[in-house]
Amino acid sequence: MNPRIKHRITRRQSLTLIGATFAAMTLPTASLLANTGGIQQKTFAGTDKKLPVIGMGTWRTFNVGNDPDLLDARTEVVKAFFEHGGGLIDSSPMYGSAPDVMGYALQQLGTPESLFSAEKVWSPAGGSAREQVAELKDRWTVNHFDLVQVHNLTDWRDHLAALQEMKTEGVIRHVGITTSHGRRHREIEQIMTSEDIDFVQLTYNITHREAENRLLPLAEERGIGVIANRPYDGGSLIKHLKRRNAPLPEWAQKECGCTTWADFLLKFIVSHPAITCAIPATTQVEHLRENMRAGHAPMPSPDARQRMAATIESL
């Protein structure tokens, strides 16, 4: 039994239990798949497949250990994510118990076909890339990962080579690299230019737009999917707007369908043509629903995006 969560059952036991209770699981799982909620989707990584433009991160928010109340609360967040058309969920061994919490949630809900599971390998986690992926699959209770990324470029040459082999073998489906806080963009650019990767994850939000200069155009040119992390700048953007008690501009409501500042900030990100999806993190179902609504049409035009940036700069 995985020692990280006392109430977790093993992957083998989980599969047995799921098989024994398949009929009971079918209805709730089907209901999760049926309601896509009209969320916008984008193709990615040179494929004809599509991902919803709003994904979900698990940094900090899903590191809740084995607290049964918190485990159930995060399961409700995951359930709402899929009910509102969600696809990509991103985690990392750096995020403490987050992979185990995802496994707990998927055991309770079943694994919807819409799940696009994104994980990372990270040198301080210990073990080779192959060993980490195998362990993380057990923690998530999934048979494969749709995407495995090299976390913050740690030992990226060795890890990326191993991940490419695993992709060729069909063990994982896509490979990528990550950075955050605007760090190491020059190295990211070199990797995007020289290596065969499917995704890059980086920080992009309305006040951190460095990626627009070179990385986002390069991603479009090379057909690399882009996952935007820190869409609210770790929550500081929302807190700043609340402190200023700033009203949402009427034109943003009329032209872009914004009803909250969360809509405003997320729509700015995912309306960029190079961005595949953003991954806001939350602990609350209500906030999750707000995030997902931001993925609905209408989306900002290039002119509206400029006005959005100017609005935030003025506050």
Side-chain angles (χ1 to χ4, degrees):
M1 181 174 291
N2 192 324
R4 295 180 180 86
I5 292 183
K6 295 178 182 178
H7 301 290
R8 282 280 308 278
I9 58 177
T10 67
R11 184 166 179 264
R12 179 175 296 177
Q13 290 170 325
S14 173
L15 293 175
T16 301
L17 179 61
I18 289 170
T21 60
F22 179 78
M25 295 295 289
T26 300
L27 286 176
T29 303
S31 70
L32 293 178
L33 299 178
N35 182 9
T36 59
I39 194 169
Q40 300 289 291
Q41 300 186 3
K42 291 186 180 182
T43 56
F44 62 91
T47 72
D48 58 358
K49 300 175 183 177
K50 293 183 178 181
L51 273 177
V53 295
I54 306 296
M56 187 174 76
T58 58
W59 179 53
R60 291 184 175 174
T61 54
F62 273 54
N63 184 19
V64 299
N66 60 3
D67 184 297
D69 292 335
L70 294 178
L71 287 169
D72 289 340
R74 297 306 176 271
T75 298
E76 289 301 310
V77 171
V78 174
K79 180 181 178 182
F81 176 71
F82 289 121
E83 287 177 338
H84 287 77
L88 187 148
I89 298 179
D90 176 82
S91 191
S92 170
M94 182 186 179
Y95 303 166
S97 65
D100 305 287
V101 176
M102 274 307 307
Y104 178 90
L106 294 178
Q107 286 181 38
Q108 307 310 305
L109 300 172
T111 304
E113 293 179 7
S114 57
L115 171 64
F116 189 94
S117 50
E119 256 294 350
K120 305 182 185 78
V121 292
W122 188 51
S123 289
S128 68
R130 286 183 180 274
E131 291 167 337
Q132 288 187 49
V133 170
E135 180 184 358
L136 287 163
K137 283 197 301 181
D138 183 70
R139 294 173 69 180
W140 275 62
T141 68
V142 295
N143 293 322
H144 72 273
F145 285 117
D146 295 292
L147 168 63
V148 180
Q149 307 150 97
V150 181
H151 192 108
N152 285 341
L153 302 186
T154 56
D155 294 327
W156 70 263
R157 289 178 177 82
D158 291 340
H159 284 324
L160 190 58
L163 295 180
Q164 293 286 14
E165 290 179 358
M166 295 172 73
K167 177 184 173 182
T168 300
E169 296 164 4
V171 177
I172 59 179
R173 293 181 175 172
H174 302 282
V175 301
I177 56 176
T178 81
T179 187
S180 61
H181 301 75
R183 301 184 184 114
R184 302 177 73 173
H185 278 195
R186 186 179 298 277
E187 191 171 4
I188 288 282
E189 182 181 354
Q190 293 172 348
I191 296 170
M192 292 172 67
T193 301
S194 63
E195 302 292 332
D196 182 18
I197 61 174
D198 303 307
F199 280 89
V200 61
Q201 182 182 142
L202 46 77
T203 294
Y204 179 67
N205 59 53
I206 203 165
T207 59
H208 291 79
R209 300 169 58 189
E210 300 89 346
E212 290 179 349
N213 297 328
R214 298 185 64 84
L215 299 186
L216 296 188
L218 181 60
E220 286 191 278
E221 176 188 327
R222 294 186 61 83
I224 298 171
V226 181
I227 302 168
N229 60 37
R230 297 180 62 82
Y232 301 137
D233 199 19
S236 64
L237 282 172
I238 294 288
K239 292 175 183 176
H240 173 70
L241 291 166
K242 286 183 177 179
R243 284 196 302 267
R244 296 300 301 268
N245 198 26
L248 195 67
E250 286 189 18
W251 60 263
Q253 300 175 52
K254 294 177 180 178
E255 295 180 29
C256 309
C258 297
T259 59
T260 66
W261 280 114
D263 283 348
F264 188 98
L265 297 173
L266 286 177
K267 280 178 178 283
F268 176 85
I269 295 168
V270 301
S271 60
H272 191 291
I275 297 294
T276 307
C277 74
I279 50 170
T282 184
T283 64
Q284 299 183 37
V285 170
E286 180 183 353
H287 291 168
L288 184 283
R289 290 172 178 156
E290 284 185 3
N291 292 341
M292 302 308 287
R293 283 197 298 269
H296 291 224
M299 286 292 168
S301 65
D303 175 68
R305 284 173 49 80
Q306 292 182 5
R307 282 183 285 162
M308 289 170 127
T311 297
I312 298 299
E313 289 173 3
S314 69
L315 293 175

